[in-house]
């Protein structure tokens, strides 16, 4: 397996506020990796540092062998990194089709990226195919999440950074979103998934990192995490 992403010894934060402390993690080709942790642990900050919204004050972010630590979001998008933020970032006043068509522009220029056409995306997301003329704002939370993921695919994502995709969704929609993440991954796209819901991470991920106060405090497979009650209690406050 070749390495897609490597974050090494990264410090990052907001102005004087340091959030990430000597944080290291990696994603191998075709993996789903989860980053789980409590509220405020630094999960979103980690994704923002990878896609270039934030710049590390120490350490490096490497993508397919290239140091991207100083890149901005446009430059990381051209390499095939696509952040689907918690607030889902779709254009509410534009139709589903217009949202998808816009994603075709300004996406990746990377040769390694997996290009998905608008039609292929609509084939994957049946709910969206039935609503191509509807404005984004009329979609349910789950459908907006689907549209945000579909936009990432059409933009040619090679590594999708998913920030709490199941946040605020009804349980039966959570399963739909999880199915989609699996389907995306089956297309060979690597996924770094941020979740507060450890059950979602455990079910989808090949490997998990637990983050607490900006530091990685544990790393292992889902089976290992599930059987490690101490980690679950101490850092995640859950019992499985
Ligand atoms: N724009 C900002 N300016 C200053 N501090 C911020 C900013 N955004 C987040 N923080 C702080 O950084 C810390 C980590 O936040 P982050 O959003 O990365 O956590 P998280 O693990 O994603 O949590 P959540 O699940 O609540 O989103 C928190 O203490 C938060 O208050």
């Amino acid at each position: 397996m070749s390495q897609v992403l490597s974050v090494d010894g990264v410090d990052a934060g907001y102005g004087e506020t340091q959030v990430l402390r000597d944080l290291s993690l990696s994603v191998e080709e075709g993996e789903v990796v989860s980053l789980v942790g409590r509220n405020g642990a630094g999960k979103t900050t980690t994704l923002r540092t990878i896609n270039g919204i934030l710049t590390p004050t120490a350490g490096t972010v490497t993508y397919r062998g290239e140091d991207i630590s100083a890149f901005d979001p446009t430059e990381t998008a051209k390499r095939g990194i696509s952040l689907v933020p918690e607030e889902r970032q779709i254009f509410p006043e534009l139709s589903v089709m217009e949202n998808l068509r816009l994603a075709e522009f300004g996406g990746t220029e990377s040769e390694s990226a997996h290009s998905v056409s608008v039609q292929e995306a609509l084939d994957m997301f049946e709910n969206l195919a039935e609503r191509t003329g509807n404005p984004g704002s009329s979609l349910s939370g789950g459908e907006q999440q689907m549209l945000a993921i579909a936009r990432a695919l059409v933009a040619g994502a090679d590594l999708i950074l998913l920030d709490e995709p199941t946040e605020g969704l009804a349980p039966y929609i959570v399963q739909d979103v999880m199915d989609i993440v699996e389907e995306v991954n089956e297309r060979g796209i690597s996924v770094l998934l941020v979740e507060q819901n450890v059950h979602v991470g455990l079910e989808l991920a090949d490997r998990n990192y637990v983050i607490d106060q900006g530091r990685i405090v544990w790393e292992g497979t889902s089976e290992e995490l599930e059987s490690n009650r101490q980690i679950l209690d101490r850092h995640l406050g859950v019992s499985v």
Side-chain angles (χ1 to χ4, degrees):
M1 270 200 294
S2 64
Q3 199 160 64
V4 174
L5 176 77
S6 181
V7 176
D8 298 289
V10 157
D11 292 352
Y14 306 88
E16 298 284 283
T17 314
Q18 185 182 352
V19 176
L20 305 185
R21 295 164 198 278
D22 195 23
L23 185 135
S24 298
L25 59 80
S26 64
V27 178
E28 306 285 325
E29 187 88 56
E31 266 192 322
V32 177
V33 172
S34 91
L35 179 64
V36 290
R38 291 180 200 254
N39 246 330
K43 303 181 297 296
T44 299
T45 304
T46 303
L47 298 189
R48 287 181 181 156
T49 305
I50 295 167
N51 102 315
I53 296 173
L54 298 172
T55 306
T57 51
T60 53
V61 181
T62 308
Y63 182 71
R64 295 192 177 280
E66 182 180 20
D67 185 344
I68 61 162
S69 314
F71 283 16
D72 66 25
T74 310
E75 290 169 301
T76 60
K78 280 184 181 160
R79 302 301 191 280
I81 298 177
S82 190
L83 172 66
V84 179
E86 206 174 337
E87 59 277 14
R88 288 158 197 164
Q89 237 168 57
I90 59 163
F91 295 101
E93 70 285 5
L94 298 184
S95 71
V96 167
M97 185 58 96
E98 287 164 339
N99 265 282
L100 291 174
R101 291 245 180 267
L102 266 183
E104 288 181 302
F105 301 98
T108 183
E109 291 172 358
S110 161
E111 283 178 13
S112 57
H114 305 255
S115 68
V116 172
S117 67
V118 168
Q119 190 50 54
E120 281 175 307
L122 290 173
D123 290 343
M124 277 176 80
F125 299 86
E126 283 169 27
N127 287 356
L128 299 181
E130 291 162 8
R131 293 171 174 73
T132 50
N134 296 14
S137 58
S138 70
L139 301 179
S140 68
E143 288 162 353
Q144 289 189 13
Q145 182 64 51
M146 303 286 186
L147 180 56
I149 297 173
R151 281 175 46 82
L153 295 178
V154 170
D158 174 51
L159 169 67
I160 297 192
L161 311 174
L162 268 182
D163 198 353
E164 308 228 5
T166 65
E167 168 80 13
L169 301 184
Y172 69 99
I173 312 278
V174 168
Q175 190 56 52
D176 286 352
V177 170
M178 287 168 69
D179 291 347
I180 282 293
V181 174
E182 277 182 343
E183 205 177 324
V184 164
N185 183 240
E186 278 161 17
R187 299 183 83 103
I189 297 166
S190 310
V191 179
L192 178 59
L193 170 73
V194 154
E195 265 298 339
Q196 237 185 83
N197 181 346
V198 68
H199 300 276
V200 173
L202 284 174
E203 188 154 335
L204 287 175
D206 299 300
R207 286 187 303 118
N208 304 271
Y209 291 92
V210 176
I211 182 171
D212 197 355
Q213 295 182 25
R215 296 178 195 276
I216 299 295
V217 293
W218 189 87
E219 175 196 347
T221 64
S222 294
E223 294 75 42
E224 287 164 345
L225 180 55
E226 218 161 345
S227 61
N228 195 329
R229 294 190 175 273
Q230 213 188 351
I231 289 290
L232 290 166
D233 287 349
R234 191 190 308 156
H235 298 292
L236 301 169
V238 291
S239 45
V240 180

